Amino acid sequence: MTTAAPVGTEALRERMAGLDTAALSDAMDSLRTPPGVLPGIAARTPGSIACGPAFTVRYRAVDDDTGFRNAADYIDDVPSGSVVVVDNGGSRMCTNWGSLLSSVALHRGVRGTVVHGSVRDVKESRTAGYPLFSTGVTMVSGKNRVVLDRTGAEVDIAGTPVRPGDWIFADDNGALRIPADLVEEVVRRAEAVERTESRIRAAALGGDRLDEARARFGYARPWEDKGDHDDH
């Protein structure tokens, strides 16, 4: 049975989905917290957004060659609204996600997948519109090469820790991890960043000098959302 998302999660997700990784990164900078970038992660379904609490998955290499070894069976345990975060050490030697998993995840309400490793069947995931992000792409199956180590544990994505329940946001710019206890404040500040930059853009396109528009609307501290003020 699909697990429902926590109360308040959908409202927060809706707000976050209207933002982008740039505004969220600026908001995290304003809190002087590590940026939370998941290095090397690129969009495989351009224009899509993955947004939600992390469901973590960790793989390890097969340590014997006796009999068939399936890569993993965990997708039925992923709560609706989650973003699957897979750690296979960034490997480009075999895949950790394909079209079957994309189809089932989409059907179950999973909001995207970020793989520190490789994926395949990219065309099918794009056609379905499933938000898929990864370090690499290969056609080589993970069967008989990797097995599930565990789910629900902290994973390390090229130096950035991701804990179950941390929020993941990924778009065409890349992927971010936002600590669970900072999500609401990061979203609030990112919304302010977007408003500040929108005012600056409108003023500059309306004929103002860009440097003057930046000073006027508080570009140095956009998360404070000072509005139309002349004294900064």
Side-chain angles (χ1 to χ4, degrees), residues 211-225:
D211 56 357
E212 292 175 353
R214 283 175 166 171
R216 176 181 172 193
F217 292 108
Y219 180 74
R221 299 176 66 85
W223 55 89
E224 293 183 353
D225 191 16

Side-chain angles (χ1 to χ4, degrees), residues 42-45 86 91-92 94-99 102 113-123 125 132-140:
R44 306 303 169 186
T45 305
V86 176
S91 174
R92 298 174 186 266
C94 69
T95 188
N96 303 111
W97 192 274
S99 60
S102 288
T113 298
V114 174
V115 178
H116 184 216
S118 298
V119 300
R120 69 177 184 178
D121 305 327
V122 170
K123 180 180 178 180
S125 292
L132 183 60
F133 303 80
S134 71
T135 306
V137 176
T138 184
M139 76 297 296
V140 179

Side-chain angles (χ1 to χ4, degrees), residues 53-116:
F55 180 94
T56 58
V57 179
R58 189 166 64 205
Y59 281 88
R60 59 179 172 81
V62 169
D63 53 12
D64 65 67
D65 57 1
T66 58
F68 175 76
R69 301 295 295 272
N70 193 10
D73 283 314
Y74 62 83
I75 194 64
D76 296 304
D77 299 322
V78 180
S80 174
S82 300
V83 173
V84 178
V85 179
V86 176
D87 179 19
N88 190 32
S91 174
R92 298 174 186 266
M93 300 302 294
C94 69
T95 188
N96 303 111
W97 192 274
S99 60
L100 180 57
L101 285 172
S102 288
S103 296
V104 174
L106 193 62
H107 178 71
R108 292 181 60 84
V110 177
R111 297 305 181 100
T113 298
V114 174
V115 178
H116 184 216

